């Protein structure tokens, strides 16, 4: 079946005019992001196990992505990386699912951790510990190095937005399952340190850069606003996904002073410049966009829209003021089900003027050229 083209795409396009992209700020653009960008996908035997024990979980996990540089080559400009704390090393070296597969007489999957990287201290990249741990890059620092190498090879790219989801909580209900290590303030300091070990200050856009001399982040984005796109090419912006983590991350760092990442915050809070509206209404997203907030929303989730080729949430997201529209199915990775659902901007743009908050005469080359 033919791929369906995004309906009404022309209506979403920005009006071209005399204004150069150098006058546009980075919250006045829109880009496509990938969800769980590192996710290599489930192994065959884990798929067979879930088909027998938890078909609903299998349904939601049935997707994967190519390596992150390949996604960036295809036009993705926002990625998501899930991280687990592992300060001593070895916590996640032996997935408990291996024993479960053996007990169910399922064939073993390909060996895991053959290079020993999981045995060393440092943040690890996984979707679900013990069950779905395979990543296209490992550990976190290696993922960052992959991004930086791509960035250095493409110095005129619009800023790359890197959403970091911190994973903690309870062990899975399976024998020998591991309890994720909590993200204490010290572990969060380590998160910042790992990022800074890869990206020098002049390649980062940090809360300090945006806040300037203002007391709070909302004051800064309402007054000075975000950096100009012309001054932000070749740089990266780090965002934290879990709002419950914010009190720990801002402890001792009022309004994110000295921190690397922008928190997913409640609008109006002192640290609030970025917020997630993954299921927000168009009106809610647009209101926040006009107030200067950087917003991430999702065009689809858990494979549901892709299975039925339901583009309603996708279309809402693209015509909204959300700057970051995240999907499991960028156009270069269409869904495998009938309809071949995918998410793309008009004319396959890599970047465009934000449909809601960009200047009326905004003009940006859709292929990312300055």
């Amino acid at each position: 079946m033919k791929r369906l083209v995004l309906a009404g795409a022309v209506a979403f396009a920005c009006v071209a005019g005399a204004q150069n992209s150098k006058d546009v700020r980075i919250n006045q653009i829109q880009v496509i992001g990938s969800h769980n960008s590192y996710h290599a996908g489930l192994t065959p035997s884990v798929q067979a196990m879930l088909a027998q024990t938890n078909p609903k979980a299998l349904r939601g996990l049935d997707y994967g992505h190519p390596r992150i540089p390949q996604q960036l080559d295809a036009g993705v400009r926002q990625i998501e990386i899930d991280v687990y704390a592992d300060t001593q090393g070895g916590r996640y070296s032996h997935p408990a699912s291996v024993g479960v597969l053996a007990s169910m007489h399922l064939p073993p999957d390909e060996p895991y951790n053959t290079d020993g990287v999981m045995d060393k201290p440092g943040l690890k990249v996984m979707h679900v510990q013990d069950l779905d741990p395979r990543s296209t890059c490992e550990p976190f620092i290696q993922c960052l190095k992959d991004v930086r190498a791509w960035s250095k090879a493409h110095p005129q790219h619009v800023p790359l937005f890197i959403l970091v989801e911190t994973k903690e909580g309870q062990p899975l209900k399976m024998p020998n399952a591991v309890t994720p290590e909590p993200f204490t303030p010290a572990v969060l300091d380590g998160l910042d340190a790992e990022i800074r070990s890869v990206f020098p200050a002049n390649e980062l856009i940090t809360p300090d850069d945006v806040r300037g001399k203002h007391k709070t982040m909302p004051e800064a984005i309402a007054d000075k606003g975000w950096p100009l796109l012309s001054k932000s090419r070749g740089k990266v912006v780090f965002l934290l996904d879990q709002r419950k983590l914010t009190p720990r991350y801002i402890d001792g760092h009022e309004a994110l002073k000295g921190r690397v990442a922008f928190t997913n915050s409640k609008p109006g809070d002192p640290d609030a410049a970025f917020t997630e509206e993954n299921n927000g209404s168009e009106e809610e997203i647009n209101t926040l966009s006009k107030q200067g907030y950087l917003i991430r929303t999702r065009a689809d989730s858990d494979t549901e829209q892709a299975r039925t080729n339901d583009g309603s949430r996708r279309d809402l997201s693209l015509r909204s003021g959300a700057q970051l529209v995240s999907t499991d199915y960028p156009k270069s990775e269409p869904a495998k089900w009938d309809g071949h659902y995918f998410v793309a901007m008009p004319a396959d743009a890599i970047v465009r003027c934000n449909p809601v908050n960009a200047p009326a005469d905004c003009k940006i080359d859709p292929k990312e050229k300055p």
Side-chain angles (χ1 to χ4, degrees), residues 33-112:
S34 60
H35 170 244
N36 289 342
S37 312
Y38 60 89
H39 192 222
L42 295 171
T43 58
S45 286
V46 168
Q47 289 187 55
M49 176 186 74
L50 289 175
Q52 296 182 41
T53 62
N54 195 338
K56 182 178 179 180
L58 174 59
R59 183 181 177 94
L61 295 172
D62 190 14
Y63 66 93
H65 295 291
R67 294 180 63 84
I68 289 173
Q70 186 175 335
Q71 296 177 56
L72 298 175
D73 283 341
V76 165
R77 291 295 176 266
Q78 181 256 305
I79 61 173
E80 178 183 1
I81 303 176
D82 292 356
V83 294
Y84 285 76
D86 189 15
T87 54
Q88 302 302 312
R91 181 179 287 260
Y92 308 103
S93 296
H94 306 285
S97 58
V98 173
V100 177
L101 296 179
S103 70
M104 295 177 66
H105 305 292
L106 291 168
D109 284 312
E110 290 185 9
Y112 182 70

Side-chain angles (χ1 to χ4, degrees), residues 273-292:
F274 163 66
T275 191
E276 292 188 20
E277 287 287 337
N278 292 329
N279 299 299
S281 70
E282 189 173 352
E283 181 181 9
E284 290 169 334
I285 293 172
N286 292 351
T287 296
L288 292 169
S289 180
K290 292 174 183 177
Q291 292 173 357

Side-chain angles (χ1 to χ4, degrees), residues 20-316:
N20 285 322
S21 62
K22 67 181 181 181
D23 298 318
V24 178
R25 297 189 179 274
I26 64 172
N27 68 312
Q28 295 175 325
I29 64 175
Q30 188 178 71
V31 298
I32 299 296
S34 60
H35 170 244
N36 289 342
S37 312
Y38 60 89
H39 192 222
L42 295 171
T43 58
S45 286
V46 168
Q47 289 187 55
M49 176 186 74
L50 289 175
Q52 296 182 41
T53 62
N54 195 338
K56 182 178 179 180
L58 174 59
R59 183 181 177 94
L61 295 172
D62 190 14
Y63 66 93
H65 295 291
R67 294 180 63 84
I68 289 173
Q70 186 175 335
Q71 296 177 56
L72 298 175
D73 283 341
V76 165
R77 291 295 176 266
Q78 181 256 305
I79 61 173
E80 178 183 1
I81 303 176
D82 292 356
V83 294
Y84 285 76
D86 189 15
T87 54
Q88 302 302 312
R91 181 179 287 260
Y92 308 103
S93 296
H94 306 285
S97 58
V98 173
V100 177
L101 296 179
S103 70
M104 295 177 66
H105 305 292
L106 291 168
D109 284 312
E110 290 185 9
Y112 182 70
N113 189 35
T114 55
D115 56 3
V117 69
M118 301 299 288
D119 302 331
K120 301 174 183 178
L123 295 167
K124 303 304 191 299
V125 178
M126 293 176 287
H127 190 211
V128 183
Q129 80 281 3
D130 285 318
L131 178 69
D132 186 14
R134 299 188 188 233
S135 171
T136 60
C137 54
E138 192 71 77
F140 182 52
I141 281 182
Q142 184 59 55
C143 296
L144 299 182
K145 288 179 178 179
D146 289 352
V147 173
R148 185 169 187 260
W150 186 93
S151 176
K152 298 301 287 184
H154 302 81
Q156 293 303 311
H157 67 76
V158 297
L160 302 179
F161 299 89
I162 303 179
L163 181 67
V164 179
E165 181 174 357
T166 52
K167 294 289 191 79
E168 55 185 6
Q170 300 301 312
L172 299 181
K173 293 182 179 179
M174 61 174 62
N176 302 313
V178 66
T179 301
E181 183 177 348
F183 275 81
T184 63
V187 172
L188 292 169
D189 288 344
L191 169 65
D192 278 7
E194 289 200 12
I195 294 171
R196 291 191 190 277
S197 74
V198 176
F199 290 97
N202 65 347
E203 295 176 16
L204 294 168
I205 298 173
T206 67
D208 288 342
D209 297 324
V210 174
R211 189 184 56 258
K213 296 182 180 180
H214 292 85
K215 185 177 180 180
T216 69
M217 299 303 296
E219 290 174 8
I221 62 174
D223 179 22
K224 183 182 68 172
W226 291 80
L228 293 171
L229 177 59
S230 60
K231 303 293 185 181
S232 303
R233 291 182 178 275
K235 297 187 178 184
V236 294
V237 182
F238 282 88
L239 313 166
L240 285 186
D241 178 72
Q242 294 290 335
R243 185 172 289 182
K244 65 181 181 181
L245 198 72
T246 296
R248 283 174 267 173
Y249 193 68
I250 64 174
D251 185 23
H253 299 269
E254 185 179 2
L256 295 173
K257 291 179 181 177
R259 282 303 196 188
V260 172
F262 295 85
T263 43
N264 171 17
S265 301
K266 180 181 177 182
D269 283 356
D271 60 302
F274 163 66
T275 191
E276 292 188 20
E277 287 287 337
N278 292 329
N279 299 299
S281 70
E282 189 173 352
E283 181 181 9
E284 290 169 334
I285 293 172
N286 292 351
T287 296
L288 292 169
S289 180
K290 292 174 183 177
Q291 292 173 357
Y293 289 98
L294 187 72
I295 303 156
R296 182 255 196 167
T297 194
R298 291 184 67 177
D300 44 76
S301 60
D302 301 325
T303 77
E304 294 302 323
Q305 290 85 354
R307 290 175 185 273
T308 60
N309 200 27
D310 177 5
S312 56
R313 181 68 201 182
R314 171 194 64 191
D315 296 354
L316 181 156

